[in-house]
């Protein structure tokens, strides 16, 4: 079997790449090991840059219709004593609208819905899109991809082979790259529960030692993420679901009743955060996208966004090579040079955000409260934070910024103009430099 681009893995990264390539007349074959939808939680927050990319693939309207808009992130610090209403100590709201872009919000979309929409888009170009469900990529043999489907072995020959298999990637193994894994002192419990119609804003509620992230989904549901100490899951399970009801109800009384919709521990997924980043994205005619190349701490909601953003750059590069009759191999290095520094930057940002919530000490909380409030009080910090997590651009924090955030210096009064931000946004020249 022959194809131009072979993609191992039909997750968000693989499917976004396939949709882009097929729509541009590049023949693509996707091998996905699963036969049907996965029930595992794998991230739902689509950042503004991802929305821009989905717009270019022409699926934004459907995505927007399937999502819940997150226009701001609320950080609430509370004091709570069991059995009493929590007392709000500080509420800071950071707004996506501070970024100078028409894509001024994020969107919560069920993960499988995003995949369905991308797959359906690719299927519109049936001449160029070949999807193999229940097909496990096993590695390479005689320069071809070896895929096992329904007890048969397929050998697929391609010009370029893409590893989009997620965290466990045979393509990565074949590339022999180096990875260093970093672990954290905490894990998360995550579960979707019903929400009252009035509960519409994304919110992170914290005490000295508790953390509850709440992100509304469509259909009056809310994704919840509750931080626990690493290795504590078994002990918490022994305490029964009552423990979860009480923990959630104490932190967010609005969810006191709806949390009881959890009736089985099977509904709750344990999430163990860790990070890694490969040293090379490309080797010969092999390339990695998404979690095969990097995994990020989930605190800043970036994992699936990085995968789709990788797919955009690589897809544009491969489509351009075909359109311009250029040799794929000579240009693949551009993909790594665009994406690797951006991913490193966001990995560091997500790691910092994780540390902010990693230590259950009153003095650490005090520092955190001041630092978060400073992001709101100082417009430059506010713009930088939202611009960076949006993926629309990159604007690093300076020493002066950090001194202001750490309350060593007072906040600036100046507002950052849209014009000033324009230099920090990614334009076509930064996204697709090989065209220039
Ligand atoms: C528990 C968990 C929670 C997460 N929470 C968040 C979050 O809150 N926010 C966020 O943005 N991100 C989150 N992420 C990360 C996010 O899911 C990933 O970053 C994103 O899905 C990466 O997309 P991908 O396409 O690279 O990989 P994946 O989504 O993992 O897709 C890989 C696909 O390849 C298939 N596959 C694997 N091996 C093979 C093979 N050998 N042959 C054929 N097919 C194969 C898999 O079945 C899968 O469909 C989470 C991830 C996990 C695991």
């Amino acid at each position: 079997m022959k194809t131009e681009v072979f993609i191992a893995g039909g997750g968000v990264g693989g499917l976004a790449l396939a949709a882009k390539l097929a729509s541009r007349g590049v023949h693509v074959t996707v091998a996905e090991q699963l036969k049907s939808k996965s029930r595992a939680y794998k991230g739902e927050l689509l950042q503004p840059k991802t929305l821009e990319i989905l717009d270019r693939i022409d699926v934004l309207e459907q995505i927007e219709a399937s999502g819940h808009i997150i226009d701001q992130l609320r950080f609430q610090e509370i004091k709570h004593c069991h059995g009493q209403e929590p007392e709000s100590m500080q509420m800071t709201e950071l707004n996506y609208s501070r970024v100078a872009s028409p894509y001024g919000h994020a969107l919560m979309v069920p993960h499988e819905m995003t995949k369905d929409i991308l797959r359906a888009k690719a299927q519109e170009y049936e001449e160029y899109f070949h999807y193999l469900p229940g097909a496990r990529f096993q590695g390479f043999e005689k320069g071809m991809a070896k895929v096992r489907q329904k007890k048969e072995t397929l050998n697929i020959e391609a010009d370029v082979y893409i590893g989009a298999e997620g965290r466990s990637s045979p393509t990565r193994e074949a590339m022999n790259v180096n990875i260093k894994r970093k672990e954290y002192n905490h894990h998360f419990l995550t579960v979707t529960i019903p929400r009252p119609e009035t509960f519409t804003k994304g919110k992170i509620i914290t005490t000295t030692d508790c953390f509850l992230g709440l992100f509304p989904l469509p259909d009056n549901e809310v994704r919840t993420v509750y931080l626990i100490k690493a290795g504590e899951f078994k002990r918490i399970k022994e305490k029964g679901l009552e423990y979860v009801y009480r923990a959630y109800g104490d932190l967010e009384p609005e969810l006191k009743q709806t949390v009881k919709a959890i009736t089985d521990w099977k509904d709750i997924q344990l999430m163990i955060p860790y990070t890694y980043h490969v040293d090379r994205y490309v080797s010969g005619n092999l390339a990695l996208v998404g979690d095969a190349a990097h995994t990020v701490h989930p605190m800043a909601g970036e994992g699936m966004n990085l995968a789709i953003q990788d797919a955009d750059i690589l897809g544009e590069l491969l489509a351009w090579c075909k359109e311009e009759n250029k040799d794929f191999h000579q240009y693949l290095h551009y993909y790594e040079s665009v994406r690797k520094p951006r991913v490193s930057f966001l990995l560091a940002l997500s790691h910092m955000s994780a540390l902010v919530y990693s230590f259950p000490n009153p003095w650490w909380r005090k520092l955190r409260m001041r630092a978060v409030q400073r992001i709101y009080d100082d417009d430059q910090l506010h713009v930088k934070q939202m611009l960076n997590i949006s993926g629309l651009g990159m604007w690093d924090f300076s020493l002066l910024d950090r001194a202001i955030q750490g309350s060593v210096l007072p906040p600036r009064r100046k507002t950052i103009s849209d014009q000033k931000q324009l230099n920090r946004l990614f334009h076509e020249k930064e996204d697709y430099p090989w065209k220039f």
Side-chain angles (χ1 to χ4, degrees), residues 7-15 31-34 40-45 111 115 135-138 163-170 190 223 225 269-272 289-296 298-308:
I7 304 176
V12 281
L15 290 173
E32 166 54 50
Q33 64 181 3
L34 301 178
Y41 167 62
K42 280 192 135 188
E44 290 143 342
L45 189 71
H111 192 88
K115 282 169 59 181
R136 188 167 168 76
F137 167 61
Q138 294 183 313
E165 314 97 326
R167 294 178 176 186
S168 146
S169 162
T190 180
R223 163 66 54 191
V225 185
Q269 188 178 320
L270 174 69
M271 215 161 72
I272 301 177
V289 298
D291 275 18
H294 41 70
T295 288
V296 57
M299 190 60 87
E302 294 292 347
M304 59 188 294
N305 295 281
L306 295 181
I308 295 175

Side-chain angles (χ1 to χ4, degrees), residues 27 34 39 90-91 97 101 133 159 180 202 221 227 251 259 333 368 412 417 427:
H27 192 275
L34 301 178
R39 275 175 47 85
Q90 180 174 295
M91 171 81 104
S97 60
S101 157
D159 296 325
K180 253 194 227 146
E221 289 191 317
L227 185 143
L251 293 165
V259 67
H333 66 91
R368 176 174 76 222
R412 293 158 284 205
S417 68
H427 303 283

Side-chain angles (χ1 to χ4, degrees), residues 424-435:
R424 311 292 174 167
L425 293 171
F426 299 134
H427 303 283
E428 216 184 330
K429 215 170 171 177
E430 287 87 37
D431 279 347
Y432 315 133
W434 59 89
K435 293 187 183 180

Side-chain angles (χ1 to χ4, degrees), residues 188-199:
F188 294 99
L189 302 184
T190 180
V191 56
T192 296
I193 59 173
R195 66 173 161 89
E197 239 170 88
T198 48
F199 193 94

Side-chain angles (χ1 to χ4, degrees), residues 355-369:
L355 292 187
V356 165
Y357 294 101
S358 288
F359 306 108
N361 302 318
W363 61 268
W364 187 254
R365 176 200 225 196
K366 240 187 222 166
L367 289 180
R368 176 174 76 222
M369 283 172 68

Side-chain angles (χ1 to χ4, degrees), residues 47-50 302 309 342 346 386-394 426:
Q47 298 283 3
K49 178 70 179 182
T50 307
E302 294 292 347
Q309 290 162 21
R342 294 186 191 182
L346 271 165
M386 298 316 281
L387 180 72
N388 290 333
I389 64 167
S390 76
L392 289 163
M394 210 158 88
F426 299 134

